[in-house]
Amino acid sequence: MHITQLNRECLLHLFSFLDKNSRKSLAKTCHKLLEVFQDPLLWSLLNFHSPAELKKDNFLLGPALKYLSICWYSERVKVCNIEDWMKNNFQKDFCNRHENTVNDFLLEVCNRCPNLLSLTLSGCGHVTDDCISLLLKNCPKLKTLRLENCVRITDQTLEAVTLYGGSLQTLHVDFCRNITRNGLERVREKCPSVMLKAERSANMIPDNKPEKKFMLEKAPRKLFQL
């Protein structure tokens, strides 16, 4: 029996065992398999492991997407997660080349995937509070949000959780150095049913120069003395 003689349910099942590149390659062989590749039911889960994968045309975004994971573990991630004030010109230029990659992709998710249930972002050093806030608004069914080593995430994201995360059950903000204890306590107060985890976040050094922080703390004292 030729593979194209199988019914659609069987073909969808076979496609589900393939990675994104293999699915795309198989879809190029005939029109029937291309239709299977384009079936939204095939794309309820997406995992990405490098920036280049987000720009490929080997996947489909749509209302069927429920589980999304973008996890980068590379030298590029290490550079992007260095404090901005510590980066040299070469490192800054390196980061600027792909600064909006994840944010732009997540905006597409906001527009096309209203039924998203779980989002995991790890090593995404350029993801912003505004992007996560918009996603919480546009994906009201989101139950799990895991953020790890996302250095631009601040208490603004935690505030968005209290405002728009009505369905949220699990929130992880591990190694996110720019969130504070106050922000975490507010989530615990406003969303007591949310399972909150923040490993090495609120105790880490914020993303500004130590001397700058010292001057900001010292200024009010001078005003008070006057």
Side-chain angles (χ1 to χ4, degrees), residues 2-18:
H2 193 273
I3 187 173
T4 56
Q5 294 177 284
L6 296 173
N7 60 37
R8 195 175 189 84
E9 289 73 19
C10 289
L11 290 174
L12 282 170
H13 185 65
L14 289 175
F15 265 77
S16 68
F17 290 99
L18 304 176

Side-chain angles (χ1 to χ4, degrees), residues 4 9 56 86 93 105 162 187 215:
T4 56
E9 289 73 19
K56 290 185 177 181
M86 291 183 64
D93 179 66
F105 179 81
T162 66
V187 172
M215 292 301 296

